[in-house]
Amino acid sequence: MNKNFINKIAEEASKTFKEIGYPSLKDESWRFTNISNIVSHQFHQSQREILKKEIVSKYFINDCYHIVSVNGYLDLSISDKLPEKIQMMTIIDSSIDIKGQFSKISNYKTKSFNAINTSMFKEGILLSSSGELDKPIQLVNLFTGKKEDQVHFPRLLVLGDNDSNMSIINHYVFEDRHNHLVNSVVEMELSNNCSINYCLIQEGNNKSNIIESTAINQGYKSKLDYNSFTLNSNFSRNDIVINLNEICSNISLNGLFLCNNNKVVDYHTVINHKAENCISNEKFQGILTDKSKGVFNGLINVSPNAINTNSNQKNQNLLLSKSARVNSNPQLEIFCDDVRCTHGSTTGYLDEEMIFYLSSRGISNNKAKQMLIYGFASEIINKVNHQNIKDYLNNYINNWISL
């Protein structure tokens, strides 16, 4: 039903990319991030790989339904069966009419990598919820291959029906140490009174590059808890756009990124308040060491009719070396008087007085630093409401800190 429609959109997206090309430092939204070495590199589109379940299951988080995608291809043979209230299928062969959502929520006409994904993806995954789910869905996006320099085009479309409630963990993992480029698009639509907990975990390898475009439309009294964790990758760029389209919608958007060596993490977020009585709370934190670089660019836009808007945005960054650096740019665009909006940014080093205090209590200097770093990271981890996910993240953070 949708295949001809999708193929037509793919052709249009291909033409769009040929017209706009790759972004460069001359583009405002990319002026702090040089990707010339990525776009000039010759990548080869990955193919479907058949893996044994024991290879993938080591990434499974307990007490979840597990869906497995390998190189952007859904593998039902090693995925769990979902309850009837959740429909899962490939986007390309979906039986649900998605003409109002596919490529309409996320705009490929102004974003190069979105246009490439829209023109090149092969299957994609569609999740449609019509009720309340008893435990989270963990989507294991695994990338692997016998050769270097592979590019992958995963795509996810989530439709939350009226009064539905579900939790999703979108987990990126890499089975090898090869050079990969992941170009991903995520679209979500939350209908009236829909509630979604969404957790993104990007667990790359030291040579992986992840570029993800996420766009979400929220309806009347919908509630979204979005927690993003970039734990490792040579390069990671996340573009997140939230549209609060109907009154009384609520978004909590949080992120934590870890950055070492010469790696780069770049977050660009936009929250559009388009209706009255909506609430947005946004907090992103970065921990950087060595010669790594972080970018946070967050925009809160309040339209003229969005009265009684309540919006808070904060970016905090912890530098563990003198060579690490962050470009932070929180922004407010307010076209309405009756609002409560705040934003702020801080970047600094570990508190030497606190390290001295802990040391005076018999704690080693190194252990004191680890405690402070973990305390900083836990501010975001504790916003996750699923204990097994918290445990997974805490274990990763502790291992990273102790390196």
Side-chain angles (χ1 to χ4, degrees), residues 275-315:
E276 61 189 72
N277 295 307
C278 293
I279 299 173
S280 67
N281 289 291
E282 179 179 8
K283 188 174 185 179
F284 275 79
Q285 297 188 175
I287 305 175
L288 302 96
T289 188
D290 303 322
K291 295 182 179 180
S292 62
K293 178 182 177 181
V295 178
F296 173 79
N297 193 94
L299 172 64
I300 305 294
N301 181 280
V302 182
S303 66
N305 61 324
I307 61 173
N308 294 325
T309 286
N310 190 337
S311 178
N312 300 285
Q313 181 195 72
K314 183 182 288 187
N315 174 228

Side-chain angles (χ1 to χ4, degrees), residues 3-63:
K3 190 171 290 187
N4 291 337
F5 162 75
I6 291 174
N7 289 338
K8 183 178 179 181
I9 294 292
E11 291 177 4
E12 294 175 359
S14 179
K15 293 178 183 177
T16 296
F17 173 67
K18 291 176 181 178
E19 292 173 358
I20 64 177
Y22 287 111
S24 71
L25 293 172
K26 295 180 181 179
D27 295 282
E28 179 64 24
S29 62
W30 289 87
R31 65 191 179 100
F32 293 120
T33 307
N34 188 348
I35 57 169
S36 59
N37 61 327
I38 295 176
V39 299
S40 63
H41 196 84
Q42 184 66 45
F43 288 95
H44 308 282
Q45 186 162 1
S46 62
Q47 302 299 315
R48 186 188 300 273
E49 298 272 352
I50 305 300
L51 299 181
K52 293 181 179 179
K53 190 167 186 176
E54 53 263 32
I55 294 176
V56 184
S57 61
K58 62 187 176 186
Y59 301 108
F60 288 176
I61 296 174
N62 292 333
D63 196 30

